[in-house]
Amino acid sequence: MTKGTWLPEPYILAFTCFGILIALVAWLPLVLRRLPLSLPIICIGLGAGLFSLPQVALNPSPLAHPEIAERFTEFVVIIALMGAGLKLDRVFSWRRWAVTWRLLGITMPLGIGLIVILLAWGQAYPWVAALLMAASLAPTDPVLASDVQVGPPKTGQEDEVRFGLTSEAGLNDGLAFPFVHLAIALGAAASSGEPWFIDWITYRVLWEIGGGVVAGWVIGRAFGWLTFHVPAKTKLARTGDGLIALSATLVSYGLTEIIHCYGFLAVFVTALTFRSTHRDHDFQVQMHEMTEQIERIAMMVLLLLFGGALVRGLLAPVTWTDVIVAVVILLVIRPLTGLVGLLGFKAARTEKLTLAFFGIRGVGSLYYLAYGLNHMKLADTEQLWGLVALIVLLSVLLHGLTVTPIMRFLDRVQGRNPDAEEATPPPGLKGPAGASK
């Protein structure tokens, strides 16, 4: 404390606030379990209140710190992807994952196309800017969608809706990247006149997707062998340290990016492969718990900053027309494309409606827009940030307020007690990979 005043040193105040933040990370999920309210809503509200104080001089807007915005959102997403992959109980197969392929192969590209049309024709956006925005809004979010995702490993909380939304969020964060690069390539070609298609399709699509999948599988197998299958005294599982999952995340992302492939895709594949090497081992739970704790702390910090950016003028360029566009994207385009993607899929109508509705936009959209704007020059970046921030805010509010009653209703319709301490695993989710410990 400075002599002669009761005002605390800034770093002491930061320590105190960070301690309170960690306590909230542990406590709020219990408080909000049965309430129509979500942790992200609380975080954004706290951030808005904190940065409204005149004593707080920092401007957390991504417009003021574009590189930091890109890197921090990148870190939060890769941690969330590892956590999402580790908690999936369902054995990988083309048939078992049919709902995922429909959401990725039909819903996502159809949604990108409709958003491009809406922004370019309806809002007179330049086509390149419209494509970048559509690509940024393509991925559903593995960070903010925890309330509609599967439960921790081995808990059995994995019905078709929770599995579909978790696996979709895990994979479309990587598969949206080629569309971001397409916008960047078109922007560069517009000024240089150089051909772009061959390089984009061979390098950005085939190589970076294929390389990301292979690299993720190899690294997942390597960590699985080191953790579960080396001689007993030296296997990593004996450490009991869930930080191994963080190590696998960073190694997978780093090595994949070094060979110029999609690290987001690699991290999720690494998590799935890591889990499959010994599906029922108790150490899987420890690794997931560690990644979840890191993810929640990072997510809360990010959303505090996001709430601060909102009150510091990030939404200033937003017009009433933008509000209509945001509502159309969230309440028309996603549900419509989701239902189109699920045509012919064998599931109850309530399940299909829930899958189509919960296309949560969040940290992934912030990352992709930051990445795109840091790698290309576009006019009216304030307008782009304002619209994406508005869509993320509305998504957090809309889905955060509805997720608890909708998911509890769905559980009751399917014969499950949403208040039960332990869920009964749905049939058919375990495979031969989960044999002995």
Side-chain angles (χ1 to χ4, degrees), residues 67-107:
E67 291 291 338
I68 295 176
E70 179 186 338
R71 294 309 178 191
F72 190 26
T73 52
E74 178 182 41
F75 174 75
V76 176
V77 171
I78 63 173
I79 295 298
L81 290 174
M82 176 58 70
L86 286 175
K87 64 187 177 183
L88 282 173
D89 286 335
R90 186 171 302 196
V91 177
F92 179 87
S93 75
W94 293 106
R95 182 179 59 83
R96 290 174 182 266
W97 285 52
V99 63
T100 312
W101 311 135
R102 287 171 171 270
L103 293 172
L104 294 174
I106 302 173
T107 297

Side-chain angles (χ1 to χ4, degrees), residues 35-38 41 395-406:
L35 297 177
L37 201 62
S38 69
I41 294 176
S395 181
V396 169
L397 293 173
L398 171 67
H399 297 116
L401 293 173
T402 58
V403 61
T404 299
I406 288 178

Side-chain angles (χ1 to χ4, degrees), residues 159-162 165 339 342 345-358 405-416:
D159 54 65
E160 200 68 40
V161 171
R162 289 181 171 90
L165 293 171
L339 291 174
L342 295 172
F345 181 68
K346 293 183 178 179
R349 184 174 63 176
T350 52
E351 292 180 315
K352 290 183 180 182
L353 289 172
T354 306
L355 281 163
F357 175 70
F358 281 112
I406 288 178
M407 297 308 290
R408 288 172 66 85
F409 171 77
L410 187 66
D411 283 339
R412 291 191 180 97
V413 168
Q414 296 178 342
R416 293 190 299 273

Side-chain angles (χ1 to χ4, degrees), residues 44-163:
I44 293 174
L46 290 174
L50 177 64
F51 284 92
S52 295
L53 298 174
Q55 296 88 345
V56 180
L58 173 66
N59 180 9
S61 172
L63 288 162
H65 309 282
E67 291 291 338
I68 295 176
E70 179 186 338
R71 294 309 178 191
F72 190 26
T73 52
E74 178 182 41
F75 174 75
V76 176
V77 171
I78 63 173
I79 295 298
L81 290 174
M82 176 58 70
L86 286 175
K87 64 187 177 183
L88 282 173
D89 286 335
R90 186 171 302 196
V91 177
F92 179 87
S93 75
W94 293 106
R95 182 179 59 83
R96 290 174 182 266
W97 285 52
V99 63
T100 312
W101 311 135
R102 287 171 171 270
L103 293 172
L104 294 174
I106 302 173
T107 297
M108 188 181 77
L110 186 58
I112 291 175
L114 291 178
I115 294 174
V116 169
I117 293 171
L118 175 65
L119 295 179
W121 284 355
Q123 291 291 93
Y125 275 51
W127 284 98
V128 171
L131 179 57
L132 176 61
M133 289 288 288
S136 299
L137 295 168
T140 53
D141 200 77
V143 182
L144 305 184
S146 59
D147 290 331
V148 293
Q149 290 186 0
V150 302
K154 302 168 60 178
T155 61
Q157 298 172 20
E158 190 170 302
D159 54 65
E160 200 68 40
V161 171
R162 289 181 171 90
F163 170 78

Side-chain angles (χ1 to χ4, degrees), residues 148-423:
V148 293
Q149 290 186 0
V150 302
K154 302 168 60 178
T155 61
Q157 298 172 20
E158 190 170 302
D159 54 65
E160 200 68 40
V161 171
R162 289 181 171 90
F163 170 78
L165 293 171
T166 305
S167 56
E168 178 195 15
L171 285 170
N172 67 10
D173 268 293
L175 296 178
F177 231 135
F179 297 97
V180 175
H181 281 298
L182 178 59
I184 296 172
L186 290 174
S191 58
S192 66
E194 294 182 359
W196 57 270
F197 180 76
I198 297 298
D199 178 72
W200 176 75
I201 196 69
T202 57
Y203 180 52
R204 297 300 185 183
V205 178
L206 298 178
W207 164 250
E208 295 208 34
I209 290 178
V213 171
V214 172
W217 182 84
V218 170
I219 295 168
R221 294 291 294 180
F223 268 90
W225 182 77
L226 290 171
T227 303
F228 302 115
H229 300 297
V230 296
K233 292 184 179 180
T234 57
K235 64 178 63 174
L236 292 175
R238 291 180 62 86
T239 67
D241 195 336
L243 281 173
I244 298 301
L246 178 61
S247 170
T249 304
L250 300 179
V251 169
S252 177
Y253 190 78
L255 291 181
T256 306
E257 289 290 321
I258 287 173
I259 62 172
H260 300 287
C261 294
Y262 292 132
F264 284 176
L265 195 55
V267 168
F268 189 68
V269 173
T270 292
L272 293 177
T273 308
F274 201 172
R275 178 74 196 277
S276 70
T277 57
H278 206 322
R279 188 170 298 278
D280 288 336
H281 200 288
D282 289 340
F283 191 55
Q284 300 282 2
V285 178
Q286 294 171 270
M287 290 192 296
H288 172 261
E289 289 174 349
M290 177 59 68
T291 57
E292 186 177 45
Q293 290 169 353
I294 297 172
E295 175 192 337
R296 279 195 292 173
I297 293 174
M299 180 268 289
M300 288 192 74
V301 172
L302 178 62
L303 292 183
L304 285 173
L305 297 173
F306 180 66
L310 295 178
V311 298
R312 290 295 177 89
L314 191 59
L315 295 179
V318 170
T319 65
W320 282 109
T321 306
D322 291 325
V323 175
I324 295 173
V325 168
V327 170
V328 169
I329 289 173
L330 293 174
L331 293 183
V332 179
I333 291 180
R334 165 63 192 199
L336 177 63
T337 58
L339 291 174
V340 170
L342 295 172
L343 286 175
F345 181 68
K346 293 183 178 179
R349 184 174 63 176
T350 52
E351 292 180 315
K352 290 183 180 182
L353 289 172
T354 306
L355 281 163
F357 175 70
F358 281 112
I360 300 175
R361 266 56 182 179
V363 180
S365 296
L366 300 177
Y367 167 75
Y368 276 125
L369 183 61
Y371 178 92
L373 293 178
N374 287 341
H375 289 79
M376 63 189 299
K377 292 183 179 180
L378 286 176
D380 299 324
T381 57
E382 294 86 358
Q383 183 182 11
L384 302 182
W385 270 114
L387 180 56
V388 166
L390 175 66
I391 291 172
V392 171
L393 175 63
L394 292 180
S395 181
V396 169
L397 293 173
L398 171 67
H399 297 116
L401 293 173
T402 58
V403 61
T404 299
I406 288 178
M407 297 308 290
R408 288 172 66 85
F409 171 77
L410 187 66
D411 283 339
R412 291 191 180 97
V413 168
Q414 296 178 342
R416 293 190 299 273
N417 180 8
D419 298 318
E421 291 297 324
E422 295 183 0

